[in-house]
Amino acid sequence: MSSIPDTPGVYLYKDAAGRILYVGKAKHLRRRIASYFREAAEGAPPPQTPKTLAMLRQAERLDTLSTTTEKEALLLEASLIKKHRPRYNIVLRDDKQYVLFRLQKKHPYPRLDIVRAVRRDGAQYYGPFTSAGAARATWKAIHRAFPLRRCTDRALQNRVRPCLYHFIGQCLAPCVFDVPQDEYAALVQRVEMLLSGRSDELVGQLRAEMETASGALEFERAAELRDQIRAVERTVERQAAVLPGGGDLDVVGIVDTGGGLGLGVLFVRQGTVLDGRAFLWPGLGFEEAPELLLSFLGQFYGPHSAIPARIVVPWLPVTEATEGAEGNADAGTAPPTPAPDGPEGEAESPVSGESADSGVSGTLDASEGQDAAGIAPLAVGRHASPPSAAPLAPQAATDMSLRAIEETLADLRGGPVRIVAPRS
């Protein structure tokens, strides 16, 4: 054990054939690896879960990779898990990028398009949407109400005649006509208000303009504004407001489904539930919940993901600093106490998470009940409660600090990220 460095890094358990069985990360490699071989007190159950015991029975070799910082260990672990997909790691099998709206703010005539990656290009992004069909339906509804251009920048420069959308009243054709930029900017502002959750303010503004136009006997203009009001109301009528003051956050919940662990995530943007996603890991018991939570945070958010400023999790990772125990090298996450009827984890079952809308029976279906705006009324689970005071089994623990996880996500987002627990 003395040959193992006491530095941040990643460790890899391998079988006799050299196949990677498990990849883990640690702030102190020596202490973390020693926790796998700790014996239980007399009369107490083994400190390892069945999955960990099965992995140790097959392990023949242990390799370590030292890193300079905890952040580097987090990124290296996520990269190795994605590349090798070890049997005993909790793997999130969901590599697709979700749909986003992108509004080009720097262009004189901004365009609203649909993309699958966030880039630091000065554009404004809205989303994510898990359903591309629902996102496209919303995109079409926005263009019917607010005639922004749909053509690319190249087509805008080279077009010599208006497109069909201009003739059906869904584009002002700035590619051909001299459209005043202030008039176009007013349309862009209304689209921003709609996508930013300020629909009530937008409807009030449109209604005031409609009454003014009607009083001035401009009935065609009043009819246009009336149609825009109806389009906005149809678009947002099913959005559930959960934060009256607005704000962006993701809410994560974990539940024991009876056949494994389910994880749900809700995307809250500008105070409204925009969309959601759910996953199921068959065969896992609730004792694996701490590892599941940390693995999800490391694998779900990538360089081109829409990462909010706040992520609400059912409980916070407990680190050496938060516990105040100097000698506790195996501080980790403290899950809430599982329900009495929760299943035991099966040692030989695969632990890869399947997306809940892929047809797995007994899953949390995030796609059920979606409307045209891409809203999923997803329940995040009855076990998403404050952490219990029960000690955490060493095999499920990690001594990576909460600050390191937040810093890693902040680097990906390009701004601060806080991971918080529910207040109630």
Side-chain angles (χ1 to χ4, degrees):
M1 192 65 68
S2 60
S3 62
I4 299 175
D6 194 23
T7 61
V10 171
Y11 56 93
L12 300 89
Y13 281 101
K14 298 182 179 180
D15 62 12
R19 291 186 294 266
I20 298 176
L21 297 173
Y22 183 82
V23 177
K25 60 184 177 299
K27 182 179 180 181
H28 301 283
L29 283 170
R30 185 184 306 168
R31 302 182 195 179
R32 181 69 186 97
I33 293 170
S35 71
Y36 280 89
F37 307 99
R38 186 172 297 171
E39 296 182 358
E42 185 176 353
Q48 294 83 12
T49 63
K51 176 173 74 72
T52 301
L53 292 172
M55 184 271 293
L56 292 175
R57 284 195 295 267
Q58 297 185 40
E60 296 286 340
R61 177 179 171 183
L62 175 66
D63 292 343
T64 60
L65 300 172
S66 295
T67 60
T68 305
T69 64
E70 299 171 66
K71 286 200 303 181
E72 291 179 2
L74 281 166
L75 295 173
L76 179 58
E77 182 206 34
S79 175
L80 290 173
I81 290 175
K82 181 173 289 188
K83 179 179 180 180
H84 297 287
R85 297 191 178 275
R87 174 175 176 78
Y88 290 97
N89 274 99
I90 294 177
V91 181
L92 183 65
R93 298 187 183 276
D94 185 53
D95 295 332
K96 75 175 186 179
Q97 296 289 338
Y98 297 128
V99 173
L100 302 139
F101 291 151
R102 174 177 176 268
L103 188 61
Q104 302 169 319
K105 297 295 293 295
K106 293 184 177 180
H107 198 280
Y109 298 101
R111 172 178 179 240
L112 182 69
D113 53 353
I114 298 177
V115 297
R116 289 186 177 269
V118 175
R119 305 186 185 280
R120 299 183 187 180
D121 54 2
Q124 189 72 37
Y125 290 87
Y126 302 92
F129 298 90
T130 59
S131 170
R136 187 163 292 277
T138 302
W139 180 81
K140 290 179 179 178
I142 290 173
H143 278 88
R144 283 194 294 268
F146 306 102
L148 301 182
R149 70 178 177 97
R150 305 194 192 195
C151 56
T152 63
D153 293 347
R154 178 176 295 181
L156 178 71
Q157 295 174 355
N158 299 324
R159 190 177 294 277
V160 295
R161 64 180 63 181
C163 64
L164 180 61
Y165 289 112
H166 171 71
F167 293 104
I168 61 176
Q170 295 185 20
C171 180
L172 296 180
C175 54
V176 177
F177 301 114
D178 186 17
V179 179
Q181 290 191 14
D182 56 348
E183 179 183 344
Y184 196 91
L187 288 176
V188 173
Q189 182 184 19
R190 290 172 181 174
V191 171
E192 286 186 276
M193 293 173 67
L194 173 61
L195 295 176
S196 298
R198 298 159 56 194
S199 55
D200 291 341
E201 181 183 349
L202 174 58
V203 169
Q205 178 180 324
L206 293 175
R207 184 165 284 118
E209 292 185 19
M210 179 184 67
E211 292 173 356
T212 301
S214 178
L217 304 182
E218 298 177 358
F219 299 117
E220 291 186 3
R221 174 61 178 165
E224 292 177 4
L225 293 168
R226 178 203 59 198
D227 294 341
Q228 290 181 3
I229 291 172
R230 291 177 178 175
V232 170
E233 291 175 340
R234 283 195 300 268
T235 302
V236 302
E237 62 184 352
R238 294 187 184 179
Q239 289 186 347
V242 294
L243 296 176
D248 297 348
L249 57 87
D250 286 355
V251 183
V252 180
I254 298 177
V255 63
D256 194 331
T257 65
L261 282 183
L263 183 147
V265 55
L266 290 176
F267 308 128
V268 179
R269 297 296 181 266
Q270 300 299 324
T272 61
V273 179
L274 183 67
D275 210 331
R277 198 67 190 266
F279 305 90
L280 176 70
W281 283 264
L284 288 187
F286 207 74
E287 65 273 9
E288 304 291 348
E291 182 183 354
L292 170 61
L293 178 61
L294 292 175
S295 296
F296 174 81
L297 293 174
Q299 298 178 48
F300 186 75
Y301 297 105
H304 303 302
S305 301
I307 304 176
R310 280 192 298 165
I311 302 174
V312 180
V313 295
W315 58 86
L316 289 178
V318 181
T319 64
E320 294 171 284
T322 58
E323 285 189 338
E326 185 175 342
N328 183 8
D330 295 307
T333 56
T337 304
D341 57 350
E344 294 291 332
E346 298 178 10
E348 300 299 332
S349 64
V351 290
S352 58
E354 299 292 344
S355 173
D357 49 6
S358 61
V360 181
S361 61
T363 59
L364 304 174
D365 192 350
S367 63
E368 182 179 354
Q370 283 188 333
D371 61 10
I375 300 157
L378 172 67
V380 295
R382 57 190 172 92
H383 294 301
S385 58
S388 67
L392 178 65
Q395 86 289 339
T398 175
D399 60 349
M400 303 303 292
S401 71
L402 177 63
R403 181 178 179 183
I405 300 174
E406 290 178 334
E407 288 179 353
T408 302
L409 296 178
D411 288 345
L412 296 175
R413 178 177 179 262
V417 175
R418 289 189 58 210
I419 301 175
V420 297
R423 294 180 181 178
S424 58

